[in-house]
Amino acid sequence: MTKLPKSKARSIGVSSRTIDHLEALIKATFIVPAVNQAFGNNMFNVPLLFSHLDIKAVAVRLSTEKGETIAPTQVLLAWAEIGGHSVIPKSVTASRIVENFKEIELSPSDVAQIEQIGKQQRRFIVPYIANKPHWDVNIFADEQEKAASHQVII
């Protein structure tokens, strides 16, 4: 990618990289990625991978207070907007697409409640322990992967 002419690749992005991975990439190529696309992962201090029940509880409370139905997705989209995150929700269901465009306002206490959900950092899928057959590799430097025989070479 780094050798392609600027007419072919104006910028380079990465996906789901840790800070160590990014630093190694920058050191090796002298290129800073334009974006680190992450699947709502609290490993990157973006606590979007919340418990469904925690977010649903916020949505139910807001629905009761506002007298209208508010979906968990609307809560997450509003929170992401406040935090300055670019979110592209995906859906093929017409009603959900319409729902995604309905903006709601979160109070400072709503935001604080949501941010408390992501304080305890944890991964929900750790390849070292979740996969069958077992993947004996430490990919994300997670506490649960420390016993792995193989490491990502940075």
Side-chain angles (χ1 to χ4, degrees):
M1 292 293 294
T2 59
K3 294 189 183 351
L4 286 174
K6 293 287 182 198
S7 62
K8 299 288 182 185
R10 290 185 295 248
S11 61
I12 296 173
V14 296
S15 180
S16 301
R17 299 297 96 202
T18 66
I19 292 171
D20 290 340
H21 294 152
L22 293 171
E23 291 298 326
L25 175 68
I26 294 165
K27 184 178 178 184
T29 64
F30 302 104
I31 294 174
V32 177
V35 66
N36 182 15
Q37 177 186 350
F39 174 75
N41 189 319
N42 63 356
M43 228 181 115
F44 302 99
N45 293 322
V46 181
L48 289 174
L49 193 56
F50 296 141
S51 161
H52 174 72
L53 292 177
D54 291 334
I55 292 300
K56 187 147 183 86
V58 173
V60 168
R61 183 180 54 74
L62 288 173
S63 295
T64 303
E65 289 175 5
K66 296 180 186 283
E68 59 183 282
T69 302
I70 295 176
T73 304
Q74 291 171 286
V75 173
L76 286 174
L77 289 171
W79 174 83
E81 184 179 339
I82 289 169
H85 304 287
S86 298
V87 179
I88 303 170
K90 176 197 163 290
S91 183
V92 294
T93 308
S95 61
R96 286 191 184 141
I97 293 169
V98 169
E99 192 174 80
N100 290 340
F101 281 100
K102 291 181 183 172
E103 292 189 27
I104 64 166
E105 287 189 35
L106 298 175
S107 70
S109 64
D110 295 332
V111 173
Q113 181 182 359
I114 293 166
E115 289 178 349
Q116 286 303 310
I117 296 168
K119 289 291 183 190
Q120 179 186 355
Q121 291 195 0
R122 64 180 187 179
R123 293 193 58 81
F124 292 91
I125 300 174
V126 178
Y128 179 70
I129 60 173
N131 293 327
K132 305 287 185 234
H134 180 72
W135 290 13
D136 189 23
V137 63
N138 181 340
I139 297 173
F140 298 105
D142 189 276
E143 187 67 33
Q144 296 173 310
E145 294 178 313
K146 283 193 175 182
S149 303
H150 304 283
Q151 308 292 316
V152 173
I153 299 171
I154 297 178

